[in-house]
Amino acid sequence: MRSNHLEVRPLASAVGAEIGGVDLSADLPDGLIADLKGALARHGVIVFRDQILSEDQHIAAARRFGDININRFFATADGHPEIALVVKEPEQTVNIGGGWHTDHSYDAEPALGSMLFAREVPPIGGDTMFASMYAAYDALSDGLKETLSGMRAVHSSRHVFGTVREGLKGRIGNAELATQDAVHPVTIVHPESGLKALYVNPGFTVRFDGWTVEESAPLLGYLYRHAARPEFTCRLQWRNGSLAFWDNRSTWHYALNDYQGERRLMHRITIEGGPLH
Ligand code: SIN
């Protein structure tokens, strides 16, 4: 992977790195974009600090990494359907993304990742946790790796977006579009890094393919507890102007909801991915 020309400071041993010296509003050379793709594939989430980005500049930066997925459930920024709003107002108590999940695993071709830009963060709290599914996979026993290698799992959007929770009305909608189910391998080979990753998540995976929900629950429960082990995670403290770009194929994320009475406004652009194997 070509990340040797970048200023890369890992956030933890398993996942996450801060990238220095990159201004995402600039017209970045192709070589640097290739290095950033390499750093993303390796670290799972890359973080850029002190960025000053208009909506159009955020969109232009995202387009360097792939086509943009127009989100069908989230409210979007005025005049910019490419930008999903991840917002919580001071009077709202429910946040978006407040549990471990991988975005879009319910799609047949799950999104590559998202670029989340912090426009207004609370003075304390509102951090995001990330977990490495490379590390989770690596730490499984050979026996369980072998068992999982032949298995597939069913992922769904219905139970999450099919009924909009009272506390999310106005921010999440289009419940009638929550018709997606998809079946993916339980362990995948990451398309860029070639590394193996665990690919089930508590947000959207409903059962193993060919198994009932009840039969699946004990093994899925074990995998979820295992994958969320603290040593596989990092915790990102946001500042206004921070941008995190995470890889949905190799990480989970979890938005902490510990800032009641404060506003948090993030702009999210999701990049299209491809089939998983
Ligand atoms: C998300 O799950 O996409 C939101 C993450 C966050 O707000 O930190």
Side-chain angles (χ1 to χ4, degrees), residues 200-221:
V200 287
N201 71 89
F204 298 112
T205 309
V206 289
R207 61 182 173 81
F208 295 114
D209 192 28
W211 297 30
T212 67
V213 170
E214 292 73 19
E215 288 166 345
S216 305
L219 181 51
L220 282 175

Side-chain angles (χ1 to χ4, degrees), residues 86 96-97 101 103 116 126-128 238 246 253 255 264 266 268:
V86 179
I96 293 173
H101 65 285
D103 297 335
L116 188 69
D127 298 350
T128 304
W238 297 92
W246 65 76
H253 57 280
R264 182 176 184 271
M266 319 291 274
R268 194 180 94 181

Side-chain angles (χ1 to χ4, degrees), residues 45-202:
V45 54
I46 50 177
V47 179
F48 304 83
R49 298 293 191 181
D50 305 318
Q51 301 292 312
I52 300 172
L53 291 176
S54 66
E55 281 88 349
D56 286 336
Q57 287 168 330
H58 186 185
I59 292 167
R63 285 214 170 104
R64 300 298 306 278
F65 296 93
D67 293 335
I68 292 176
N69 172 281
I70 306 289
N71 197 287
R72 48 202 183 273
F73 302 121
F74 285 51
T76 55
D78 279 347
H80 298 284
E82 300 90 343
I83 298 180
L85 293 178
V86 179
V87 61
K88 185 158 91 74
E89 300 294 350
E91 66 281 6
Q92 296 172 329
T93 56
V94 182
N95 74 337
I96 293 173
W100 284 118
H101 65 285
T102 302
D103 297 335
H104 290 251
S105 71
Y106 46 79
D107 284 336
E109 299 196 355
L112 176 159
S114 286
M115 296 175 99
L116 188 69
F117 183 50
R119 294 208 172 266
E120 189 176 338
V121 294
I124 294 189
D127 298 350
T128 304
M129 305 278 306
F130 294 90
S132 168
M133 294 306 109
Y134 295 146
Y137 175 81
D138 285 346
L140 294 171
S141 66
D142 289 344
L144 188 47
K145 282 179 183 159
E146 175 65 26
T147 300
L148 296 178
S149 72
M151 292 174 62
R152 295 159 68 79
V154 180
H155 302 246
S156 182
S157 63
R158 296 166 202 267
H159 60 289
V160 178
F161 295 115
T163 321
V164 178
R165 283 169 69 185
E166 188 57 38
L168 287 173
K169 285 210 169 112
R171 290 181 284 164
I172 301 286
N174 294 336
E176 69 286 356
L177 299 183
T179 53
Q180 299 80 12
D181 289 332
V183 180
H184 302 295
V186 171
T187 60
I188 59 166
V189 177
H190 189 280
E192 272 103 48
S193 69
L195 299 172
K196 285 197 154 190
L198 185 64
Y199 194 75
V200 287
N201 71 89

